[in-house]
Amino acid sequence: MSKVRVATLWLDGCSGCHMSLLDIDQRLLTLVSKVDIVYSPLIDIKEFPEDVDLTVVEGGVSSSEDLEKIHKVRKNTKLLMALGDCAITGNVPSMRNLFPLSAIYERVYVETADIKKPVPVAGVPTLLPRCRPVHELVPVDVYLPGCPPPADAIFFALTELAEGRMPELGTLSRFGR
Ligand code: SF4
């Protein structure tokens, strides 16, 4: 039987959700007997492939680059999982939504900078007016809450999906934990 092709995507998040994925520890060996990781910040593949079975997304959609990525990923993947509270609600990165973009740029690139104070006009992706949860931009098939979601819940969800079942997460994971 061919393995399930799995990708992971890192948008505007702290990488804690990916760290929790790695916390499944030796069970990674069980997982890789069922899935091939075809794209991820954890491996060195630059282009998102065309025929992905499952993509796990960490983080909110905050920039023009995030927006481009999530549309490309959705187009090329059968199932999309929002992993963690930032992907599901915006959570921490959406705290900046309370302020106008000009105030964010001023705070980050001028007020708190020691050198090179001008706001950069090239070389960094343009921020969207608001950080948005993934489901506001593209359809999401599976939600796995938590900040970060526990490794046990991630392992359970991935193994269930790899077996072709929708995971019933029950109390394994909840928002803010
Ligand atoms: Fe980090 Fe929590 Fe957001 Fe995951 S949900 S990216 S752990 S802040």
Side-chain angles (χ1 to χ4, degrees), residues 4 35 46 61 66 69 90 95 121-122 132 134 157-158 174 176:
V4 177
V35 309
K46 310 291 186 211
V61 182
D66 294 343
K69 281 182 184 170
M95 290 168 72
V121 291
R132 298 171 70 183
V134 174
L158 292 179
R174 63 178 167 82

Side-chain angles (χ1 to χ4, degrees), residues 121-170:
V121 291
V124 292
T126 309
L127 281 181
L128 302 177
R130 292 191 303 121
C131 170
R132 298 171 70 183
V134 174
H135 72 269
E136 284 191 8
L137 284 313
V138 295
V140 170
D141 304 294
V142 185
Y143 295 87
L144 181 41
C147 184
D152 287 351
I154 297 174
F155 179 70
F156 175 75
L158 292 179
T159 49
E160 286 291 282
L161 289 164
E163 298 286 348
R165 296 184 291 268
M166 273 294 169
E168 296 287 343
L169 288 158

Side-chain angles (χ1 to χ4, degrees), residues 19-168:
M19 294 303 105
S20 200
L21 167 61
L22 291 178
D23 275 347
I24 67 177
D25 296 330
Q26 71 273 17
R27 289 173 294 178
L28 275 170
L29 298 175
T30 306
L31 198 59
V32 295
S33 70
K34 300 173 191 288
V35 309
D36 277 332
I37 305 294
V38 295
Y39 180 91
S40 173
L42 306 171
I43 63 173
D44 190 24
I45 294 177
K46 310 291 186 211
E47 285 296 318
F48 195 85
E50 287 191 346
D51 49 351
V52 177
D53 295 307
L54 168 67
T55 299
V56 176
V57 182
E58 169 189 323
V61 182
S62 275
S63 68
S64 53
E65 187 178 64
D66 294 343
L67 192 59
E68 192 179 317
K69 281 182 184 170
I70 198 64
H71 281 297
K72 182 172 186 179
V73 163
R74 181 67 270 191
K75 185 165 166 267
N76 290 298
T77 194
K78 294 189 184 92
L79 281 177
L80 194 73
M81 179 199 283
L83 177 69
D85 294 352
C86 293
I88 298 173
T89 70
N91 196 32
V92 175
S94 69
M95 290 168 72
R96 61 110 163 155
N97 294 355
L98 297 170
F99 305 95
L101 274 186
S102 56
I104 303 281
Y105 282 120
E106 182 73 14
R107 180 71 181 156
V108 171
Y109 290 111
V110 179
E111 289 174 19
T112 58
D114 292 327
I115 55 171
K116 293 188 177 177
K117 291 196 175 187
V119 175
V121 291
V124 292
T126 309
L127 281 181
L128 302 177
R130 292 191 303 121
C131 170
R132 298 171 70 183
V134 174
H135 72 269
E136 284 191 8
L137 284 313
V138 295
V140 170
D141 304 294
V142 185
Y143 295 87
L144 181 41
C147 184
D152 287 351
I154 297 174
F155 179 70
F156 175 75
L158 292 179
T159 49
E160 286 291 282
L161 289 164
E163 298 286 348
R165 296 184 291 268
M166 273 294 169
E168 296 287 343

